[in-house]
Amino acid sequence: KPKQTRNKLDPETTVFVRNIGFSTNEEDFKEYMESFGHLHYSKLVKDRNTGVHKGSGFAQYKKKEDAEKILSLSKELEEYYQKKAKGENPDEDVLLDELELGGRRIIVLPALTREDVAKEKEKSEQTPASFQLVNKKAELKREGLVNTNTFIHDTVSDIDMKKRIRLLRLKEDHLRKNPNYFVSDLRLRFCNLPRRNFEEKELRQTIQEAIEEYKTSKPKKEQKILKKQKFLTQVKVMKEVDESEEKSIGRSKGIGYAQLLNYDVALFICRHLNNYKTSKGGKGLIVDFALEDQRALHKRKLKQEAKKKK
């Protein structure tokens, strides 16, 4: 039986790809990687026992320039997200060349030999934890869901707490699977809204009352300044849709969103309205900081700029 030959790893033309979705197969991976140049080969890294790929793969290009091109693009994107996490304002045009395969942003790195892998592992073990990049906005993911000691209303029921934990796990799952998501510090999500013809004006009024509470909680000198300030820019209640006619039927889905202009105000509203009952006998509200998609925000910004030019 002839021996199976392995593809020789050339560090100059071979790249290692991470964060590949599990719905992606060998053909999808090869087709996508070939869009950057002609390949010698492409291969998903699979588990020996199950045959399922591990979310990573290798691709070797025929030309060094093609490997450098995709590596450079991936590096620019990583630098963008790192700067964003530090609170800086990087050039958002880099998002126009997003590396996305099967709905997930892939990360492309230079392929390492086994010797290089061993060296990198040893180096990473010696790196202090303080040097590791932490997305500060992700720290908000628990706010409003499980930190019940900050709520001012009645004790959360066991059933409601289970729902809160489920919402937190879903949020963590989205953040882990898609690097484009982040926790906004200005956009709030409202769950447990009444499942009836609950209108945006009702939610807006509830939020506005909380904003007034925020203003009156400040010293009198500051209240005069805050009195004229606008903090709430947008309120949206999600409505059920009649699929046959593809139009809203007016009934609330029980979820809403609000966009604020100030983090301190948003945090106050989140804590002030958590477990607040909008009606007698109704469920207590679940208010947390919503997830945002960086790509969607950038596209929205481009549309707004295009409208201004017209």
Side-chain angles (χ1 to χ4, degrees), residues 74-84 88 90:
S74 185
K75 185 180 178 182
E76 286 177 5
L77 286 164
E78 285 304 299
E79 288 174 352
Y80 169 86
Y81 287 111
Q82 287 180 7
K83 287 178 180 177
K84 202 74 177 172
E88 299 175 15

Side-chain angles (χ1 to χ4, degrees), residues 30-62:
K30 182 181 179 183
E31 184 180 346
Y32 183 80
M33 298 306 288
E34 275 186 329
S35 66
F36 294 90
H38 296 294
L39 294 173
H40 269 305
Y41 74 89
S42 66
K43 184 179 180 63
L44 293 173
V45 179
K46 296 181 179 178
D47 185 284
R48 289 183 181 180
N49 297 320
T50 65
V52 178
H53 77 76
K54 298 180 178 181
S56 58
F58 290 90
Q60 186 180 80
Y61 288 93
K62 291 184 177 180

Side-chain angles (χ1 to χ4, degrees), residues 179-190:
N180 291 300
Y181 282 124
F182 67 95
V183 182
S184 172
D185 56 2
L186 294 175
R187 187 171 174 82
L188 295 175
R189 175 177 62 171
F190 295 78

Side-chain angles (χ1 to χ4, degrees), residues 22-268:
F22 291 103
S23 61
T24 299
N25 56 33
E26 292 279 7
E27 189 178 339
D28 296 331
F29 181 55
K30 182 181 179 183
E31 184 180 346
Y32 183 80
M33 298 306 288
E34 275 186 329
S35 66
F36 294 90
H38 296 294
L39 294 173
H40 269 305
Y41 74 89
S42 66
K43 184 179 180 63
L44 293 173
V45 179
K46 296 181 179 178
D47 185 284
R48 289 183 181 180
N49 297 320
T50 65
V52 178
H53 77 76
K54 298 180 178 181
S56 58
F58 290 90
Q60 186 180 80
Y61 288 93
K62 291 184 177 180
K63 292 181 179 179
K64 178 183 175 182
E65 294 79 14
D66 293 332
E68 289 174 342
K69 180 170 64 178
I70 193 170
L71 284 168
S72 176
L73 178 55
S74 185
K75 185 180 178 182
E76 286 177 5
L77 286 164
E78 285 304 299
E79 288 174 352
Y80 169 86
Y81 287 111
Q82 287 180 7
K83 287 178 180 177
K84 202 74 177 172
K86 291 177 182 177
E88 299 175 15
N89 294 310
D91 182 9
E92 294 187 345
D93 285 342
V94 70
L95 292 174
L96 298 174
D97 297 317
E98 182 69 280
L99 286 172
E100 190 174 292
L101 172 60
R104 296 184 68 169
R105 182 171 73 84
I106 59 171
I107 299 168
V108 185
L109 302 166
L112 302 176
T113 61
R114 289 188 177 183
E115 293 78 12
D116 290 334
V117 169
K119 288 178 184 177
E120 286 296 318
K121 185 179 180 182
E122 184 180 352
K123 192 190 296 182
S124 64
E125 287 172 352
Q126 295 172 355
T127 303
S130 58
F131 287 98
Q132 295 176 3
L133 181 65
V134 177
N135 186 343
K136 291 184 179 180
K137 289 190 176 181
E139 294 173 6
L140 292 173
K141 66 187 177 184
R142 296 171 63 86
E143 184 64 53
L145 292 176
V146 292
N147 55 328
T148 55
N149 59 311
T150 64
F151 303 171
I152 65 170
H153 296 287
D154 296 337
T155 307
V156 175
S157 67
D158 291 340
I159 295 174
D160 208 35
M161 181 52 72
K162 287 179 182 178
K163 184 175 181 178
R164 289 171 178 274
I165 293 170
R166 188 167 68 251
L167 287 171
L168 175 61
R169 285 174 179 169
L170 284 170
K171 186 185 281 188
E172 289 175 333
D173 195 42
H174 283 305
L175 289 167
R176 184 172 60 254
K177 288 181 177 178
N178 194 333
N180 291 300
Y181 282 124
F182 67 95
V183 182
S184 172
D185 56 2
L186 294 175
R187 187 171 174 82
L188 295 175
R189 175 177 62 171
F190 295 78
C191 297
N192 278 357
L193 293 176
R195 299 294 292 264
R196 55 174 173 79
N197 292 349
F198 186 78
E199 300 299 329
E200 272 139 19
K201 64 180 181 180
E202 295 179 72
L203 179 57
R204 182 180 288 274
Q205 184 180 343
T206 301
I207 296 169
Q208 201 59 54
E209 287 171 0
I211 291 174
E212 293 307 314
E213 287 281 347
Y214 169 80
K215 290 178 180 179
T216 55
S217 70
K218 299 297 178 182
K220 286 188 176 180
K221 286 184 179 180
E222 197 174 337
Q223 284 182 33
K224 291 180 180 179
I225 301 170
L226 294 172
K227 190 176 181 180
K228 296 179 180 179
Q229 287 189 17
K230 182 182 177 183
F231 293 109
L232 182 63
T233 62
Q234 185 189 44
V235 175
K236 178 79 173 176
V237 173
M238 308 307 291
K239 300 292 183 74
E240 290 184 359
V241 176
D242 186 335
E243 294 182 3
S244 61
E245 297 183 19
E246 294 185 351
K247 66 177 183 179
S248 174
I249 58 176
R251 183 180 168 87
S252 161
K253 283 186 175 181
I255 301 172
Y257 294 90
Q259 187 72 33
L260 285 302
L261 292 173
N262 181 286
Y263 166 68
D264 289 335
V265 176
L267 182 62
F268 182 90

